[in-house]
Amino acid sequence: MKRPDLVRSVVIAPPALGVGRRILEEKAVNAFLHAILYKTRLVEDLIDGRPDAVRAALRESLVNWSAPGSDVVGQLLDHLTENHSAPGAFVAGIMWFRFPEGNPITYYANEQKPDLADRFSTHITILWPDKDPLFPQEWSDNLSDFYSDHTLHLLENAGHFSPLEAPDVWAEHVLERVREA
């Protein structure tokens, strides 16, 4: 946002700007329970450095944020557990939740619509999954308030891990942007 001249195009999935105070609604807060838990010392006391607890915490997110029928849990659980089980590793991985600009609840609850001249001006393609419990497709309604040049594509049967659940769609859009560049 600060240096759009460094990038010709961007392809992203949510999180995206425009969520606003909807993040405080009950369904959203329940989906973002991890963001609240990760701000507490319970992470150090109950999860960090305990491989079984790390695996359970990671499995909870992978299962709940994946599209029905997705094999994301099978693809990632062993690898992520191994990489986050050493003492301090899980805490290091969730540390950004402890800062206002990294915690989605705090960030979106305080989000401000920018002036027209201050909106993100580099072309951005947003691939918005239909099965993401963290960022429902209805929340794509305010994109024009934050991005002056964007294209929205709604992904079918993809959850929060859409690059893994719809890799062909991601590859198609990334390659299209590379060819244009």
Side-chain angles (χ1 to χ4, degrees):
M1 299 246 339
K2 293 178 182 175
R3 293 291 312 272
D5 57 303
L6 296 178
V7 183
R8 290 188 187 188
S9 183
V10 179
V11 179
I12 67 166
L17 299 172
V19 171
R21 298 190 64 80
R22 294 180 283 198
I23 198 79
L24 300 174
E25 295 170 3
E26 182 179 1
K27 188 174 180 181
V29 169
N30 289 339
F32 280 97
L33 180 61
H34 66 288
I36 297 165
L37 172 67
Y38 291 170
K39 291 178 75 112
T40 72
R41 289 266 327 152
L42 288 172
V43 173
E44 285 88 345
D45 296 342
L46 300 175
I47 301 172
D48 192 68
R50 295 179 171 88
D52 289 346
V54 168
R55 185 177 191 81
L58 293 170
R59 183 178 45 245
E60 179 73 12
S61 297
L62 290 170
V63 167
N64 290 325
W65 302 346
S66 301
S70 172
D71 64 350
V72 165
V73 177
Q75 289 181 46
L76 295 178
L77 188 57
D78 290 340
H79 174 73
L80 291 175
T81 300
E82 181 180 330
N83 284 304
H84 290 84
S85 288
F90 193 85
V91 170
I94 57 91
M95 191 57 73
W96 73 283
F97 283 102
R98 295 183 175 183
F99 297 94
E101 52 281 335
N103 188 288
I105 295 173
T106 307
Y107 179 82
Y108 286 121
N110 294 304
E111 184 179 60
Q112 299 291 317
K113 179 179 164 182
D115 292 333
L116 186 59
D118 295 328
R119 293 183 187 158
F120 190 77
S121 59
T122 300
H123 180 75
I124 187 164
T125 299
I126 304 166
L127 305 177
W128 206 297
D130 64 345
K131 307 289 189 219
D132 186 343
L134 299 172
F135 296 94
Q137 282 185 342
E138 306 87 72
W139 289 2
S140 66
D141 60 344
N142 293 329
L143 294 173
S144 295
D145 292 340
F146 293 85
Y147 306 103
S148 60
D149 182 12
H150 75 280
T151 305
L152 174 65
H153 294 276
L154 303 178
L155 298 179
E156 292 184 23
N157 200 36
H160 192 65
F161 307 104
S162 63
L164 294 174
E165 295 172 316
D168 293 344
V169 175
W170 273 86
E172 171 190 332
H173 287 282
V174 169
L175 288 173
E176 182 180 334
R177 296 292 159 241
V178 169
R179 283 193 283 281
E180 289 175 1

